[in-house]
Amino acid sequence: MAEAVEVSEGRGVMHLFWRVRSPEGAAEAIARFASADDQQAVTFSVLGGRADAGLMALSPDLDALDRLAKDLHGRGLDPVSSFISLTELSEYTATEDDERARLVAEGDDDVDSKLAAWNARIAGYRQNRLYPTLPDKRLIAFYPMSKTREPGANWYSLSFEERKALMLGHGRVGRKYAGRIIQLITGATGLDDWEWGVTLFADDPVAIKDIVYEMRFDPVSAEYGVFGPFWTGLLLPPDEVFSRAGA
Ligand code: 76R
């Protein structure tokens, strides 16, 4: 067997979209993949006619993702699109110094214990960003995006402080959707055609439309965001996805 191609941190992420012909043993192959401790996969029926079905798979090993993709291809799932990315930590998350300054500015008289609680919460949050557990929701929405590099709107020529301040506003909008949306932002610079994959999980289709619409007004998206094709799917077990596709 080929040797593993392991990420040094986080997970490799593969989004696949197929036309379904005759998925001989495909559901079993996906279940086998997902039975490994550190691997996960969810399948979905793609809404509309651009593809029949899709998969989002996570593994620390890009070789395992590649073997899964080729195995499924050989089992009558014809890829129509795909996206390769890696989970990542944000460079803009608040630091302990930021949080201390915030507590001090608020006149908090219990800074040390508040900071300890904050550190514990952030450690869990970071762990979850790098090693997420895919949630049990009804809907998945996926789209790739990049930040612009145009004269007058070049994200990459802004200073770190400017970008961090802008991302603070972005996070504030995002947090309004706590409980309605679970988002997973994965990095793809140098790996695929866009810089990030945006994967949203929700039960209510309106939540997906609302968050993406509201984000459009936030300067990060309004001035610097460019977006690829949008895919929306109903999360279902593999056999249900394939039988629904008429296979
Ligand atoms: O540190 C954090 O993770 C919290 C702040 C935060 C960062 C750094 C955050 C919060 N995001 C971050 C990074 Mn986001 N996000 C998107 C989209 O459609 C659009 O206009 C944009 C697509 C959505 C819907 C969304 C949702 N985010 C990023 C990045 C990387 C940027 C970089 O590194 O330059 C991208 C591309 C991106 C895009 N974001 C949130 C959300 C939501 C719901 C939150 C709040 C989550 C929470 O706090 O639990």
Side-chain angles (χ1 to χ4, degrees), residues 103-120:
L103 290 169
V104 168
E106 275 183 357
D108 201 294
D109 51 14
D110 193 15
V111 169
D112 285 346
S113 70
K114 290 256 173 67
L115 213 52
W118 182 86
N119 272 318

Side-chain angles (χ1 to χ4, degrees), residues 88 90-93 125 129 143 145 147 155 167 170-171 174-175 177 181 183 185 196 198 200 211-212 215-216 221 227:
E88 65 179 14
S90 165
E91 55 185 313
Y92 307 115
T93 24
Y125 173 83
R129 251 191 103 123
Y143 51 98
M145 73 173 284
K147 300 271 173 78
W155 178 256
M167 286 307 292
H170 166 89
R175 274 191 296 280
Y177 290 83
I181 292 278
Q183 107 282 18
I185 307 299
W196 290 277
V198 179
L200 307 178
I211 190 174
V212 178
M215 284 292 182
R216 291 292 160 104
S221 295
F227 302 92

Side-chain angles (χ1 to χ4, degrees), residues 33-34 38 55 65 79 81 91 99 102 107 115 143 147 149-150 163 165 171 178 187 196-197 203 208:
F33 172 89
D38 49 5
L55 167 93
L65 291 174
S81 191
E91 55 185 313
E99 182 63 8
R102 195 184 69 80
L115 213 52
Y143 51 98
K147 300 271 173 78
R149 297 191 313 278
E150 286 157 19
R163 284 179 281 127
W196 290 277
D203 287 320
I208 292 173

Side-chain angles (χ1 to χ4, degrees), residues 3-227:
E3 270 186 47
V5 179
E6 300 256 357
V7 289
S8 55
E9 66 168 13
R11 295 282 180 252
V13 184
M14 180 174 69
H15 291 77
L16 275 177
F17 305 90
W18 307 292
R19 284 283 167 221
V20 175
R21 276 187 294 120
S22 55
E24 211 52 54
E28 293 74 12
I30 293 166
R32 262 197 312 280
F33 172 89
S35 71
D37 269 351
D38 49 5
Q39 299 190 152
Q40 298 171 65
V42 291
T43 48
F44 46 94
S45 187
V46 173
L47 286 165
R50 261 194 264 160
D52 297 326
L55 167 93
M56 178 181 186
L58 272 65
S59 172
D61 176 12
L62 298 194
D63 187 70
L65 291 174
D66 188 51
R67 277 186 278 119
L68 175 67
K70 266 54 173 203
D71 184 22
L72 296 175
H73 190 187
R75 293 176 188 276
L77 299 177
D78 297 337
V80 294
S81 191
S82 64
F83 196 74
I84 294 295
S85 56
L86 306 179
T87 61
E88 65 179 14
L89 289 175
S90 165
E91 55 185 313
Y92 307 115
T93 24
T95 63
E96 185 174 329
D97 285 349
D98 293 338
E99 182 63 8
R100 187 194 316 273
R102 195 184 69 80
L103 290 169
V104 168
E106 275 183 357
D108 201 294
D109 51 14
D110 193 15
V111 169
D112 285 346
S113 70
K114 290 256 173 67
L115 213 52
W118 182 86
N119 272 318
R121 204 168 61 241
I122 288 296
Y125 173 83
R126 289 173 157 259
Q127 178 73 12
N128 196 50
R129 251 191 103 123
L130 281 177
Y131 306 98
T133 301
L134 298 180
D136 186 15
K137 295 282 181 195
R138 290 308 319 278
L139 288 164
I140 182 169
F142 170 77
Y143 51 98
M145 73 173 284
S146 294
K147 300 271 173 78
T148 50
R149 297 191 313 278
E150 286 157 19
N154 189 335
W155 178 256
Y156 296 93
S157 59
L158 298 177
S159 69
F160 177 74
E161 286 67 30
E162 288 171 305
R163 284 179 281 127
K164 183 162 171 166
L166 285 163
M167 286 307 292
L168 202 67
H170 166 89
R172 219 173 280 130
V173 174
R175 274 191 296 280
K176 287 204 260 172
Y177 290 83
R180 291 177 76 201
I181 292 278
I182 291 174
Q183 107 282 18
L184 185 62
I185 307 299
T186 51
T189 308
L191 302 174
D192 213 313
D193 290 350
W194 300 81
E195 292 162 355
W196 290 277
V198 179
T199 308
L200 307 178
F201 296 94
D203 287 320
D204 179 5
V206 176
I208 292 173
K209 184 169 73 67
D210 284 355
I211 190 174
V212 178
Y213 183 70
E214 188 170 355
M215 284 292 182
R216 291 292 160 104
F217 292 95
D218 181 74
V220 174
S221 295
E223 289 166 35
Y224 301 100
V226 277
F227 302 92

